[in-house]
Amino acid sequence: MLTIAGHDFGSRLFSGTGKFSDAATMLAALTASGSELVTLAMKRVDLARASDDILGPLRATGVKLLPNTAGARTAKEAIFAAELARDMLGTHWIKLEIHPDPKYLMPDPIETLGAARHLCEAGFVVLPYVHADPVLCRRLEEVGCAAVMPLASPIGSNQGLVSEAFLKIIIEQANVPVVIDAGLGAPSQACRAMEMGADAVLVNTAIASSRNPEAMARCFAEAVRAGRSAYLAGLGQVNATAVNTSPLTGFLQAGAPA
Amino acid sequence: MISIQLNGEPLAVPEHASLAAVLHERRLDPNAFALVLNAELVPRNRWQHIRCRAGDKLELFSAVAGG
């Protein structure tokens, strides 16, 4: 069982709600994913345009909501977004993300650490989205973050585990859950992340942009379960040379006709 | 009546109207929004008690899909 800030999660697959073609498709995919933690964003309302009410149906599913601070470019903006989300959704949980660069959406480590410190002191349960930086992840843990969410590759890129070597160091060193977030493009990549010992993964684009999001959500759920089980079972050692699996006694030669 | 701004749009409201009354008048579900008055978040338990003043800038935020 995965526990973050005292909350137990039966599923180690967390899901985002963005980019789905409509609310019904999103809800079907979330149900198929088995996710018990799903992300949302906060946005200034456009009163002239009607939009799908996703909050009502999401609340009805009973999943835990994890609002994010997407759109924030500074610590100050992120703190403001967190306060908005807390007031509106009644949750102290916040996915802290600050990415001023619109091309690669790289998280700003300086602003993120500053905002994390402030929000933790203010009583928030902070899950920061960060680059796969082991030093930064330790700093975030020190200021009280409930988990760290290092990226596999740029948000929505489906590039997979580009940062694998550094994620391994983060997993090795962390004393809080490590949730690998962003860039996981295929169930096999999510499985690999879990085999490495990640505590959970967060997937959005790979499911939402699939031809069949509901089926893809199920595939990710199975992959995450398989990867976690493999991690617990213990992967075999990787060797540079062949290591025989059958006895090499040479009996075939010994018994061969002359 | 006094003039305020609601998400950038001018809006005429009765003098001394509460923030809650403005939302009610616009038939906006209070549970669906967070409310910011002149760049300050107003906790929802204070919406009944704060009165609009001419020139106030009121902004509504909502939860939307996101990753």
Side-chain angles (χ1 to χ4, degrees):
Chain A
M1 184 74 81
L2 169 62
T3 304
I4 301 177
H7 190 99
D8 295 331
F9 295 95
S11 169
R12 290 171 183 269
L13 172 60
F14 300 156
S15 293
T17 56
K19 299 186 185 172
F20 287 92
S21 55
D22 55 69
T25 305
M26 178 197 76
L27 288 166
L30 289 182
T31 302
S33 76
S35 291
E36 296 167 10
L37 186 68
V38 302
T39 58
L40 287 168
M42 295 298 294
K43 190 167 179 274
R44 186 171 178 267
V45 176
D46 183 350
L47 292 170
R49 286 179 56 190
S51 59
D52 270 357
D53 170 30
I54 61 162
L55 192 55
L58 273 180
R59 278 183 162 145
T61 65
V63 295
K64 188 165 183 59
L65 301 177
L66 179 62
N68 69 30
T69 63
R73 292 161 170 265
T74 63
K76 191 177 169 195
E77 289 177 0
I79 291 164
F80 185 62
E83 288 168 346
L84 284 180
R86 179 172 62 179
D87 179 70
M88 192 189 146
L89 299 172
T91 177
H92 287 69
W93 287 49
I94 193 76
K95 177 184 171 187
L96 175 61
E97 52 180 303
I98 304 174
H99 32 73
D101 153 40
K103 184 173 181 184
Y104 295 107
L105 298 176
M106 288 290 111
D108 183 321
I110 312 294
E111 296 293 317
T112 301
L113 182 60
R117 182 181 288 115
H118 179 98
L119 289 168
C120 288
E121 285 172 0
F124 282 87
V125 172
V126 181
L127 291 81
Y129 166 67
V130 288
H131 209 291
D133 179 338
V135 177
L136 176 62
C137 285
R138 294 199 79 158
R139 290 296 189 102
L140 288 162
E141 192 180 309
E142 284 167 13
V143 301
C145 289
V148 288
M149 302 182 76
L151 58 80
S153 49
I155 292 173
S157 69
N158 289 341
Q159 290 175 28
L161 290 160
V162 172
S163 59
E164 180 170 334
F166 302 100
L167 291 172
K168 285 178 177 169
I169 299 172
I170 293 168
I171 290 166
E172 180 196 325
Q173 295 182 340
N175 299 303
V176 293
V178 178
V179 182
I180 297 185
D181 182 15
L184 294 176
S188 56
Q189 296 159 1
C191 184
R192 173 74 187 137
M194 297 306 296
E195 286 172 352
M196 284 160 44
D199 293 283
V201 296
L202 198 157
V203 180
N204 189 159
T205 299
I207 293 173
S209 64
S210 157
R211 210 164 45 240
N212 185 338
E214 186 177 356
M216 186 59 77
R218 200 169 293 115
C219 296
F220 267 95
E222 290 170 6
V224 167
R225 274 197 296 272
R228 178 66 184 175
S229 297
Y231 170 73
L232 293 175
L235 296 176
Q237 187 183 319
V238 176
N239 298 298
T241 60
V243 180
N244 60 292
T245 48
S246 303
L248 300 179
T249 53
F251 73 93
L252 288 176
Q253 289 83 346
Chain B
M1 300 290 274
I2 56 170
S3 179
I4 65 166
Q5 279 192 22
L6 180 62
N7 283 30
E9 299 288 325
L11 181 68
V13 299
E15 209 165 343
H16 307 305
S18 70
L19 299 178
V22 173
L23 291 195
H24 182 72
E25 181 68 22
R26 289 291 305 255
R27 296 183 181 167
L28 295 166
D29 174 6
N31 294 317
F33 303 102
L35 199 155
V36 174
L37 175 62
N38 301 327
E40 295 279 339
L41 172 67
V42 184
R44 57 194 58 243
N45 59 10
R46 295 180 57 208
W47 294 2
Q48 289 280 1
H49 310 296
I50 294 183
R51 311 278 163 193
C52 290
R53 290 182 298 188
D56 274 350
K57 290 181 178 168
L58 199 54
E59 301 213 74
L60 298 176
F61 287 78
S62 185
V64 296

